[in-house]
Amino acid sequence: MSVFRTRRPVSAMHPLQRLVALFCLGLLVVVTGVRAEEMSFSRYGLNSGDKVKVTIFGEEDMEVETRLSDAGTISYPFLDEIRVKGMTVGQLQNFLTKKLKGDYFIDPKVSVSITEYRKFFVSGEVKDPGGFSFEPGLTLEKAVALAGGFTQRASRKDIIVNREEKGKLTERNMKLDESILPGDIINVKESFF
């Protein structure tokens, strides 16, 4: 009889079956916990042009929706101007909680969300070049589609993406199924064949 098909209570199982069942349950909890942690925390670093919303549970007058300045800062009541460029949503939430706790609130329940990402840009051999609103899950192919698609002369393999990484602008050739980020500058080159 299989361990997984039994309908007996765990206490009525053979000790070896009980051990296997508990091991499988523990493994399921660990795997599920790791996946939930990976998915619940974004690694996206905020940057100039992103729009964030900050709320404190039960404190409606403390709700602020603002766009990061060109210096990567936001203004928030009691704390004035804060440099948040490069922080993730979770890091900003923890930062605000620590700064507001004690002097201003006993136990603030701070929530931060991105309401609008900064734009990405597509130029070169596309039908409608320009700046476009970013949405999570956007691939290079989808970005080109938003720009009207490829022109007849466009290269589908020679696509350069300029991206800011750790304060420096990097340039690399990307494939159509790769993800793009807010602020990316995509340049579709001309094909010579």
Side-chain angles (χ1 to χ4, degrees):
M1 178 180 222
S2 170
V3 174
F4 300 105
R5 290 186 185 173
T6 184
R7 293 179 190 255
R8 293 180 297 177
V10 173
S11 59
M13 290 180 168
H14 185 274
L16 184 58
Q17 286 179 319
R18 199 173 335 154
L19 183 63
V20 170
L22 291 173
F23 174 77
C24 291
L25 181 61
L27 185 61
L28 179 64
V29 168
V30 168
V31 169
T32 305
V34 169
R35 285 195 179 144
E37 184 177 323
E38 287 173 0
M39 304 210 29
S40 65
F41 294 109
S42 172
R43 293 181 300 223
Y44 173 71
L46 296 169
N47 210 329
S48 302
D50 289 331
K51 193 172 189 181
V52 295
K53 182 177 183 179
V54 180
T55 56
I56 300 177
F57 180 74
E59 301 290 336
E60 290 78 23
D61 56 330
M62 293 295 291
E63 182 176 305
V64 172
E65 188 168 4
T66 184
R67 192 172 303 277
L68 272 68
S69 70
D70 58 344
T73 62
I74 62 169
S75 291
Y76 195 74
F78 303 129
L79 304 178
D80 297 321
E81 190 173 31
I82 309 163
R83 182 170 169 78
V84 299
K85 182 178 180 177
M87 286 186 186
T88 65
V89 168
Q91 289 170 334
L92 177 56
Q93 192 167 294
N94 291 339
F95 175 82
L96 291 172
T97 300
K98 287 176 186 174
K99 288 291 186 182
L100 294 170
K101 190 173 186 172
D103 291 338
Y104 306 105
F105 299 97
I106 295 172
D107 187 22
K109 303 292 185 221
V110 179
S111 175
V112 178
S113 60
I114 300 173
T115 56
E116 187 180 317
Y117 291 90
R118 64 189 185 277
K119 293 185 178 205
F120 67 92
F121 301 88
V122 184
S123 64
E125 294 299 320
V126 291
K127 294 177 183 172
D128 189 19
F132 301 90
S133 295
F134 176 83
E135 293 181 21
L138 207 54
T139 62
L140 185 55
E141 186 173 24
K142 291 176 185 176
V144 169
L146 287 172
F150 293 107
T151 64
Q152 289 181 340
R153 298 181 304 209
S155 170
R156 286 167 172 69
K157 293 183 180 179
D158 193 13
I159 303 173
I160 305 297
V161 175
N162 291 306
R163 177 178 292 166
E164 186 178 330
E165 292 177 340
K166 297 179 183 176
K168 295 181 179 179
L169 194 63
T170 62
E171 183 179 289
R172 66 187 189 114
N173 203 324
M174 286 182 65
K175 296 179 182 173
L176 291 173
D177 62 347
E178 291 185 73
S179 296
I180 65 158
L181 295 175
D184 280 355
I185 302 169
I186 302 163
N187 187 5
V188 179
K189 299 289 186 177
E190 185 176 350
S191 175
F192 294 106
F193 300 103

